[in-house]
Amino acid sequence: MSDRIEVLKTYKTYVGGKFPRSESGHTYPVKDSSGNKIANACRCTRKDVRDAMVVARSAFSGWSSRSAYNRGQILYRIAEMLEGRKEQFQKELELAGLKKKVAAREIEQSVDRLIYYAGWTDKISQVFGTVNPVASAHFNFSMPDPTGVVGIIAPDNNHLLGLVSVIAPVIAGGNTCIVLASESNPLPAITFGEVLNDSDVPGGVVNILSGIQSEMISHLSSHMDVNGVWNAANNSDNRKQIDENGALNIKRIIHTPVVDWADEKHENPYLITNFQETKTTWHPVGN
Amino acid sequence: MSTVSIPDFNQTIPIDSVGVEERVARLNKRSIKTESKLQGLKLALSMIDHTTLEGSDSEGKVIQLCKKARLPYAPMPDLPTVAAVCVYPNMVATAKKALEGTDVNVASVATAFPSGMAQLHIKLDDTRYAVAEGADEIDMVISRGEFLKGNYSFIFDEIAAVKEACGNAHLKVILESGELETYENVRKASDIAMYAGADFIKTSTGKIQPAATQPVTLVMLEAIRDFYRETGIKVGMKPAGGIRKAKEALQYLVLVKETLGADWLNKDLFRFGASSLTNDLLMQIIKQETGIYQSNIYFSND
């Protein structure tokens, strides 16, 4: 038995509810904290970004028109499935160098964070919607509406918690997203894709690509069909490029180079409203 | 035509369907990149019959469509115009007026489009009306019911009569391959149409699924090639319906080039019947020139 060669998992991408390989066929080695190779992950290119964009766009109308209550149920379901996969994530986070207790804490917090945002889905428009006083014979009200397709540059720290903290508010608000997983450790992100796939999330709502972030960021941030970018990684060159490209079609751009995603300030409804547009309706009323 | 003998249409020309599909699959693998891709996309744009054939069509929509035909994308005025605008007969005059002073043709469907279920004199009147309104091209449908019954001379005579009614207008004959069941039937209908005087043969109305497919197009292109060898007459080809992506358009161009040669790679002998293809071509052309992926929300629908 001792001669047995261990079967290493092949990490693919998660796009449109499926697990395809990169269109390029390229991979790159992922190393653990002490520099040993632990797996290969797909090295996605601009074409993978383009293909993910198509599915994210076509998933948008279905996801955004679901009832907020239903979106909340689905987010809750993700939390349930994540809870059931604790052991796998525990192993992956320990490989990345986390201490046992820290890893366990990170997984628990990720589950809690999903549940936190699951609760917000049907409260966002109650809390942030307004009825506006106007001088004419109109009933005038404003409601938050999802921005559309959001590109997410996942953080390089807190591999699971950071990822959950950026995906949950975006999809809770009815957006769909394309996530560029952490470059140094994409494994929890891809495994999280498996969780999503098991938990009633319609294909295409969350799409996770792995690879060299700087190779994909220019195409993601310049794509005219992307409506917003949430950059949670800390890289000043990428940040400049995102700002410049975002100006092409005036994307909503948020930079959060966060050091510690465990902080409770990342449970915050304003992170949902970051990717919401205000729609104001003038409804005629009789005098 | 006097020197050409008309073949016996009761004879069936066998088509190797596996071979046709494999040839299409092989040609689809051809990679067209950078400068050739850009030229291909522009060529495809110049070959479009920009089409609106809805029951809900209005003058306003047709005028809008014609504006797009004249100037597909305002920020790039050097792009080619589309080849023609394709409308119902009662919209021909509107389209003609909106396209005045351009070399964009007006094509009109006629002969009780899309079913073709009407008496011959009604179909001929329909055709004459469209021509009198100013149509440069007529897209007619064949009577598929009669064809499937084996009444080939009926089809032949009908096409010949419509051709006569067209006068100077070009005649495109729609086979509606989705209703013809087999490749042999497609081939036979193509031969009948060409010997009866068609200037173009066209796959589909766009109202029946499947509409244009590449294997059917290949069968028709081969019929055109054989007809050219036999008679020396170049007949055009128009796949229509269901072609939405620029990539597919390039694949069609490869089929044409490999089957008929470069002579057919212009708008006089090859057309795309499509409405949403125009925007995808524009998006891909801009992507080629700027390197930035485009979104269809920035392009007008009509």
Side-chain angles (χ1 to χ4, degrees):
Chain A
M1 276 301 279
S2 58
D3 292 340
R4 185 174 174 275
I5 298 170
E6 240 189 289
V7 178
L8 284 178
K9 183 172 161 185
T10 307
Y11 286 82
K12 297 195 268 186
T13 69
Y14 177 60
V15 174
K18 297 194 175 69
F19 295 92
R21 289 188 173 80
S22 166
E23 193 264 354
S24 66
H26 292 181
T27 58
Y28 74 105
V30 179
K31 294 183 175 138
D32 66 10
S33 51
S34 43
N36 303 316
K37 181 177 161 183
I38 48 175
N40 283 316
C42 292
R43 183 172 170 173
C44 295
T45 63
R46 67 177 174 88
K47 290 192 176 174
D48 298 299
V49 172
R50 174 198 66 185
D51 294 347
M53 185 59 230
V54 174
V55 294
R57 172 57 63 196
S58 59
F60 175 70
S61 64
W63 181 243
S64 58
S65 62
R66 276 177 191 249
S67 69
Y69 174 65
N70 183 233
R71 281 203 301 270
Q73 285 179 310
I74 291 174
L75 258 83
Y76 194 92
R77 180 77 182 152
I78 303 174
E80 286 179 354
M81 299 307 286
L82 184 58
E83 181 90 33
R85 287 226 193 193
K86 267 182 174 173
E87 283 164 19
Q88 191 181 355
F89 282 103
Q90 179 81 32
K91 198 179 148 206
E92 282 178 356
L93 292 177
E94 281 179 33
L95 271 176
L98 267 63
K99 293 271 189 303
K100 200 167 190 173
K101 273 189 182 162
V102 180
R105 178 82 194 110
E106 169 145 349
I107 298 163
E108 281 163 8
Q109 266 196 304
S110 304
V111 173
D112 295 350
R113 198 149 286 179
L114 280 163
I115 289 172
Y116 174 82
Y117 285 108
W120 266 108
T121 53
D122 56 357
K123 297 169 190 72
I124 275 288
S125 55
Q126 292 176 45
V127 175
F128 294 94
T130 54
V131 175
N132 314 316
V134 287
S136 57
H138 289 91
F139 175 48
N140 183 293
F141 56 99
S142 301
M143 303 277 275
D145 241 19
T147 299
V149 178
V150 178
I152 296 177
I153 324 296
D156 248 337
N157 47 343
N158 299 110
H159 293 127
L160 179 62
L161 182 58
L163 182 79
V164 169
S165 305
V166 289
I167 292 178
V170 167
I171 63 173
N175 301 289
T176 59
C177 60
I178 299 169
V179 183
L180 306 187
S182 156
E183 189 174 312
S184 57
N185 186 9
L187 308 191
I190 305 300
T191 311
F192 188 65
E194 292 169 13
V195 170
L196 294 169
N197 195 44
D198 291 346
S199 47
D200 308 333
V201 183
V205 171
V206 180
N207 305 282
I208 302 175
L209 303 176
S210 60
I212 313 300
Q213 286 188 342
S214 60
E215 289 177 355
M216 295 180 281
I217 281 175
S218 68
H219 299 286
L220 183 67
S221 59
S222 67
H223 200 309
M224 299 291 275
D225 218 10
V226 173
N227 305 106
V229 176
W230 186 348
N231 173 25
N234 200 354
N235 178 322
S236 56
D237 287 346
N238 289 347
R239 182 177 178 142
K240 182 161 178 280
Q241 187 172 39
I242 291 167
D243 283 337
E244 283 174 2
N245 287 341
L248 286 171
N249 61 340
I250 321 176
K251 291 179 181 70
R252 209 164 268 287
I253 291 173
I254 307 289
H255 298 285
T256 52
V258 168
V259 180
D260 182 16
W261 289 92
D263 194 321
E264 291 215 335
K265 72 177 180 192
H266 301 300
E267 287 182 3
N268 184 337
Y270 289 100
L271 294 174
I272 302 179
T273 57
N274 273 346
F275 292 103
Q276 299 284 302
E277 307 299 323
T278 300
K279 181 175 78 180
T280 296
T281 307
W282 294 71
H283 191 74
V285 287
N287 284 316
Chain B
M1 287 287 277
S2 57
T3 55
V4 177
S5 61
I6 292 170
D8 175 7
F9 295 121
N10 288 312
Q11 300 283 320
T12 296
I13 296 173
I15 305 285
D16 171 5
S17 60
V18 175
V20 167
E21 280 153 24
E22 280 190 353
R23 181 159 171 77
V24 167
R26 200 162 62 245
L27 291 176
N28 279 352
K29 291 208 183 88
R30 191 153 302 178
S31 165
I32 300 169
K33 299 286 181 205
T34 59
E35 185 56 23
S36 350
K37 181 172 180 183
L38 185 58
Q39 294 306 322
L41 292 169
K42 287 183 178 172
L43 181 63
L45 181 63
S46 75
M47 289 170 162
I48 284 184
D49 279 5
H50 202 41
T51 303
T52 181
L53 296 170
E54 301 297 332
S56 55
D57 284 352
S58 62
E59 277 85 0
K61 184 174 179 191
V62 170
I63 290 168
Q64 188 71 30
L65 193 80
C66 293
K67 283 197 175 139
K68 178 134 182 171
R70 297 167 75 124
L71 185 60
Y73 185 60
M76 295 171 84
D78 295 336
L79 286 179
T81 62
V82 302
V85 164
C86 184
V87 293
Y88 273 120
N90 57 348
M91 291 293 161
V92 168
T94 310
K96 193 75 190 167
K97 188 157 167 261
L99 291 171
E100 234 168 25
T102 68
D103 48 11
V104 180
N105 281 346
V106 176
S108 170
V109 295
T111 73
F113 181 92
S115 68
M117 292 299 211
Q119 287 167 292
L120 183 60
H121 71 92
I122 294 173
K123 294 182 181 184
L124 295 178
D125 283 349
D126 201 16
T127 309
R128 288 192 201 101
Y129 169 74
V131 174
E133 290 283 287
D136 306 293
E137 301 168 6
I138 298 292
D139 289 25
M140 73 167 285
V141 288
I142 64 168
S143 305
R144 281 87 72 189
E146 292 297 325
F147 179 89
L148 293 171
K149 273 190 233 166
N151 205 349
Y152 303 133
S153 52
F154 179 92
I155 306 296
F156 188 97
D157 294 345
E158 189 181 58
I159 295 169
V162 175
K163 170 73 183 166
E164 202 182 337
C166 281
N168 287 329
H170 271 233
L171 176 65
K172 304 193 200 105
V173 178
I174 305 172
L175 310 181
E176 194 61 298
S177 54
E179 292 186 335
L180 296 184
E181 309 289 345
T182 66
Y183 293 140
E184 280 81 3
N185 280 345
V186 171
R187 169 71 195 228
K188 189 173 289 182
S190 308
D191 286 342
I192 295 172
M194 289 186 292
Y195 279 100
D199 298 300
F200 262 77
I201 50 177
K202 172 173 167 185
T203 56
S204 322
T205 59
K207 305 287 181 197
I208 300 279
Q209 289 302 324
T213 67
Q214 294 186 34
V216 159
T217 303
L218 182 59
V219 169
M220 292 169 70
L221 290 170
E222 285 175 350
I224 292 171
R225 181 189 63 198
D226 294 347
F227 181 75
Y228 174 66
R229 283 182 185 158
E230 201 67 33
T231 65
I233 298 169
K234 287 178 179 170
V235 173
M237 172 71 200
K238 176 176 172 186
I243 307 169
R244 297 195 176 84
K245 296 286 165 201
K247 190 173 179 183
E248 294 170 65
L250 291 177
Q251 290 170 342
Y252 276 96
L253 293 183
V254 171
L255 285 185
V256 175
K257 171 77 168 66
E258 292 302 322
T259 314
L260 296 169
D263 278 8
W264 264 262
L265 284 182
N266 60 66
K267 65 177 179 179
D268 297 328
L269 286 170
F270 192 78
R271 295 282 177 84
F272 290 106
S275 40
S276 52
L277 175 63
T278 315
N279 275 353
D280 201 54
L281 285 170
L282 290 173
M283 278 161 55
Q284 297 306 323
I285 289 171
I286 298 161
K287 159 69 181 63
Q288 281 307 113
E289 298 212 331
T290 63
I292 295 167
Y293 286 112
Q294 300 298 308
S295 166
N296 61 8
I297 62 168
Y298 301 103
F299 294 83
S300 62
N301 283 333
D302 299 314

